[in-house]
Amino acid sequence: MTATLGWLRRQLAGIVALVLVTSVFLIARLPTYSEAETAGVASKYSFQPLSVSLPSGYKQQTIREVNQWYKHIDAWISSVGAAIAMNDLDGDGLSNDLCIVDTRIDQAVVTPTPGVGATRYAPFALNPGALPMNSAMAPMGCVPGDFNEDGRLDLLVYLWGRTPIVYLAKTGATKLTADSYQAVELVPGANSTNGKYTGPQWNSNVATVADFDGDGHDDIFIGNYFADGPVLDPNIAGGVHMNHSMSAAQNGGENYFFRFTGATAGDQPTVTYKCFENVLPKYASKGWELGAGANDLDGDLLPELYLANDFGADRMFYNRSTPGNIKLSPVEGVSSPLIPKSKVVGKDSFKGMGVDFGDLNHDGIYDMFVSNITTSWGIVESNFQFMSTVKTQEELRAKLREGVGPWKDESAPAGTAWSGWGWDIKIEDFNNSGELAIAQATGFVKGQIDRWPNLQELATANDGMLQNPFWWPNATAGDDIGGHQTMKFFVKGPEGRYVDIAHELGIAIPVPTRGIATGDADGDGRLDFAMARQWDEPVFYQNTSPATGSFLNLKLIRDGETAGTLPAAGSPVTGAQVTVTTPDGRKFINRVDGSSGHSGRRSSEVHIGLGDKVTGPVQVRICWRDRTGKIHDETLQLTPGRHTLTLGQQAKEK
């Protein structure tokens, strides 16, 4: 017996390897849908592409100027920044306004969605006013939110080369223009000397908004990609570096939390925050962030945080905060001989780009989808479709308190593992069928010369060489790395596995995409979406899907009226949780999202597809925190359709 056990121990590595190879073989041999079946699924969806209006008069570029140490990889350095958000900025009751970061002009632009109402105002670029700016700065993302709590939606713009800027909507504005916003610094303190910017040279690629400490006010998380330094200054050689590992890098930019402390409204609005620098442990705070998502997963209305990291492990945190004190503890999944560390929550070594939450299997617990690099004959990792393995929120809470993340990657058997160089993710019900689809942006650098072989060599290089940009292979104008990949649109097929129908829908355009914004722009009950494309014009997809099911679209705003000439959209109750129960017992969950993803932001409405069997009222449970931090839990009966509810001491239909 002892000899047998000894032999088994000696052969364990080989046995595990054989099991893994067999598993991959079986997954690869999963049956695929026929063309007829795929066409049948695709027939339930339809989108009409429309051009987005942009302001004229700006000099166009095709690649950024960069630090001299980065010159031979300037296409790589210039591969991010296209961003897009949908929301109701002018208070007309519809999420028909876009905030776009257009990399071709390096401006954050506000413009109406195309179609009906496209001439409400002229597109314009946000104006930083008296705040110091220079040519070595570039915007990377735009996040709508009511940051000074006056009922009007403001815009947070984060950048490379400086700290973020908050554009606060003025009370006296009569129409939507650049003059409708007052630009203020997010980071307190003096950031200029004699009119020149002298503040920290942050290089931010991530922002998400949530009430992290549960005091009833929205806070802000900022994740930096590169460490502070002159990344975009062509007059400087040095002061910058690259990642020191392809799978375990911890030399990126610092992460910061900003807790709301006060604000004023009017035509000179203000907002102040307290900066928390050491909320996360150093090993987690120095990752190379490209995506983030905050969402209450266990039902206590304190949002958990997921960070998608390039060049190393993603990080997940359980929220243990109290008012005035932001406290997050790390959460990790459990690996086993059949589950490699690279596929485990908080331990993976893949290149995380974006993250989103959604209940993909109708068990009442949020699942997660994470974009990675998944290119055949390039870098073959996989996306993560992390499915919950617990049955109740109480069980989930117990696991999270123990530091355990009970999610298992099911992307391979689900058919969502491989898609290309993945970026933003949005999980939505686009045809109100009651089943969530997964829209994913893909692609990296578009050109003519294939540089995948060079990138493969880099990926296997000695980690000691990576930090110095000198050793990186060329990636400049004309080079191509996944540049002709197309977006993915995964939907469930007849057997429950997902199938990509982007080609059948005519939206598989071979242009690198980055951000995805979603919202019901025309109020017809069908979610539209817009795409930010890297070094190309953005595109808006109007939802024209046929024979859609019933839906519930909830606009959840803070109680209280707001004065002013331009209508106010109302202050979104960020983090409010919605559970819908249909007469036949099915449950659906969703939330007011504070901006999960990579660089695309969904509207602050809660949209839930109910399927074609629901015609009468449904039970709607809403949980939220009021401005004092007190938790409220109320159940209503609502008919399918659009509803605006004010949430104060109780929920009231407006």
Side-chain angles (χ1 to χ4, degrees):
M1 184 65 163
T2 301
T4 301
L5 290 175
W7 180 86
L8 285 173
R9 281 195 296 268
R10 290 192 298 273
Q11 302 300 320
L12 182 60
I15 293 171
V16 170
L18 180 61
V19 171
L20 288 174
V21 169
T22 303
S23 299
V24 171
F25 174 76
L26 292 174
I27 290 171
R29 289 179 58 84
L30 284 174
T32 57
Y33 293 116
S34 67
E35 290 186 10
E37 288 174 319
T38 301
V41 173
S43 68
K44 301 174 183 177
Y45 298 85
S46 177
F47 296 94
Q48 180 184 2
L50 299 174
S51 297
V52 176
S53 295
L54 298 170
S56 60
Y58 291 93
K59 181 181 177 181
Q60 298 259 340
Q61 60 182 357
T62 56
I63 205 166
R64 294 192 184 97
E65 290 190 297
V66 299
N67 190 292
Q68 293 174 30
W69 278 16
Y70 289 150
K71 182 61 180 175
H72 67 294
I73 55 171
D74 55 3
W76 186 294
I77 304 301
S78 300
S79 64
V80 292
I84 197 160
M86 284 182 69
N87 225 303
D88 180 10
L89 301 182
D90 64 354
D92 67 353
L94 295 172
S95 295
N96 54 4
D97 304 295
L98 300 172
C99 184
I100 300 169
V101 175
D102 187 345
T103 53
R104 299 170 303 167
I105 59 175
D106 273 343
Q107 297 289 327
V109 170
V110 174
T111 184
T113 58
V116 176
T119 59
R120 285 172 288 126
Y121 57 89
F124 60 90
L126 293 172
N127 183 357
L131 301 189
M133 299 288 291
N134 61 51
S135 60
M137 300 172 179
M140 292 285 141
C142 182
V143 182
D146 182 13
F147 298 108
N148 67 335
E149 302 184 349
D150 66 350
R152 302 178 184 282
L153 286 188
D154 315 303
L155 298 166
L156 168 71
V157 175
Y158 53 94
L159 308 93
W160 280 7
R162 79 174 332 273
T163 54
I165 297 173
V166 184
Y167 292 88
L168 297 173
K170 298 178 182 178
T171 302
T174 58
K175 59 181 179 178
L176 211 55
T177 68
D179 291 335
S180 303
Y181 296 92
Q182 175 75 34
V184 301
E185 297 281 8
L186 173 66
V187 178
N191 285 329
S192 65
T193 303
N194 297 325
K196 294 185 178 181
Y197 182 78
T198 54
Q201 291 179 306
W202 287 8
N203 297 293
S204 308
N205 269 112
V206 168
T208 193
V209 175
D211 180 8
F212 286 105
D213 68 342
D215 67 350
H217 305 278
D218 288 348
D219 309 308
I220 298 172
F221 169 81
I222 298 292
N224 290 312
Y225 187 71
F226 289 102
D228 294 9
V231 172
L232 298 181
D233 195 336
N235 299 311
I236 295 178
V240 294
H241 61 258
M242 296 298 287
N243 46 296
H244 60 49
S245 170
M246 276 289 182
S247 59
Q250 298 174 14
N251 65 333
E254 291 275 3
N255 296 330
Y256 301 91
F257 291 80
F258 292 86
R259 178 180 172 267
F260 176 90
T261 56
T264 63
D267 287 339
Q268 296 292 322
T270 65
V271 65
T272 57
Y273 294 88
K274 179 180 179 181
C275 180
F276 288 74
E277 299 186 19
N278 300 306
V279 175
L280 305 182
K282 277 294 180 185
Y283 72 86
S285 186
K286 296 282 286 184
W288 293 70
E289 253 84 58
L290 284 174
N295 189 18
D296 169 30
L297 303 178
D298 67 342
D300 62 1
L301 289 182
L302 289 174
E304 278 62 58
L305 178 67
Y306 190 103
L307 301 180
N309 285 328
D310 201 359
F311 307 127
D314 292 353
R315 305 295 181 186
M316 188 173 184
F317 299 93
Y318 175 57
N319 197 332
R320 300 174 181 270
S321 302
T322 55
N325 178 38
I326 301 175
K327 182 179 180 181
L328 303 174
S329 58
V331 170
E332 294 182 346
V334 179
S335 55
S336 72
L338 298 180
I339 304 177
K341 185 174 72 172
S342 59
K343 305 276 275 183
V344 174
V345 170
K347 296 181 179 180
D348 74 283
S349 57
F350 290 173
K351 315 297 182 293
M353 307 288 176
V355 60
D356 199 12
F357 303 92
D359 183 6
L360 296 171
N361 59 354
H362 306 290
D363 65 354
I365 306 294
Y366 284 105
D367 308 299
M368 302 179 290
F369 197 99
V370 180
S371 281
N372 293 307
I373 302 179
T374 69
T375 300
S376 300
W377 309 107
I379 294 179
V380 188
E381 300 174 343
S382 80
N383 296 313
F384 297 140
Q385 185 174 317
F386 283 128
M387 305 298 293
S388 62
T389 60
V390 295
K391 297 185 182 300
T392 66
Q393 283 190 325
E394 291 74 21
E395 184 182 355
L396 173 59
R397 187 178 305 124
K399 291 285 187 182
L400 293 176
R401 286 175 176 173
E402 295 171 0
V404 176
W407 286 272
K408 180 182 179 182
D409 176 38
E410 298 285 353
S411 60
T416 58
W418 299 287
S419 56
W421 192 307
W423 292 93
D424 205 14
I425 284 289
K426 288 294 176 287
I427 301 174
E428 304 280 15
D429 187 345
F430 287 98
N431 70 344
N432 298 327
S433 63
E435 291 290 348
L436 296 171
I438 303 169
Q440 183 184 37
T442 67
F444 189 52
V445 173
K446 189 171 184 177
Q448 299 79 44
I449 304 171
D450 184 9
R451 292 297 185 190
W452 272 116
N454 307 79
L455 184 55
Q456 288 172 327
E457 290 182 2
L458 178 69
T460 58
N462 189 315
D463 279 358
M465 301 172 62
L466 289 174
Q467 183 165 324
N468 189 338
F470 175 82
W471 299 109
W472 282 57
N474 290 346
T476 189
D479 293 332
D480 187 279
I481 306 173
H484 293 77
Q485 294 176 353
T486 63
M487 75 161 290
K488 301 298 180 183
F489 197 89
F490 293 109
V491 298
K492 280 186 179 179
E495 297 179 14
R497 297 187 317 280
Y498 288 84
V499 57
D500 171 32
I501 60 171
H503 177 76
E504 286 74 13
L505 297 179
I507 59 177
I509 311 301
V511 174
T513 48
R514 290 294 177 270
I516 305 174
T518 61
D520 183 2
D522 50 13
D524 67 354
R526 294 174 290 189
L527 285 179
D528 312 295
F529 73 98
M531 297 285 295
R533 304 197 290 192
Q534 192 70 22
W535 303 110
D536 210 325
E537 62 184 9
V539 60
F540 179 82
Y541 289 103
Q542 183 182 44
N543 194 335
T544 56
S545 299
T548 55
S550 298
F551 70 94
L552 200 63
N553 186 284
L554 302 181
K555 186 175 183 180
L556 305 179
I557 57 177
R558 299 288 180 183
D559 199 4
E561 296 294 330
T562 302
T565 305
L566 194 66
S571 184
V573 188
T574 307
Q577 296 288 329
V578 177
T579 302
V580 174
T581 304
T582 61
D584 61 1
R586 291 177 300 149
K587 290 185 181 294
F588 302 87
I589 59 174
N590 208 340
R591 80 286 188 195
V592 179
D593 186 18
S595 67
S596 299
H598 167 63
S599 64
R601 316 297 173 187
R602 60 167 49 87
S603 74
S604 47
E605 297 169 319
V606 177
H607 189 93
I608 295 176
L610 301 172
D612 57 8
K613 296 181 181 179
V614 175
T615 58
V618 293
Q619 178 181 291
V620 182
R621 180 187 179 192
I622 306 174
C623 301
W624 75 95
R625 288 182 186 269
D626 64 23
R627 284 294 192 205
T628 70
K630 181 181 178 181
I631 292 178
H632 299 269
D633 186 336
E634 191 164 339
T635 299
L636 309 172
Q637 292 288 325
L638 297 176
T639 57
R642 296 173 60 87
H643 299 267
T644 297
L645 302 174
T646 58
L647 304 183
Q649 293 301 308
Q650 59 184 7
K652 298 179 181 179
E653 184 141 19
K654 190 172 180 179

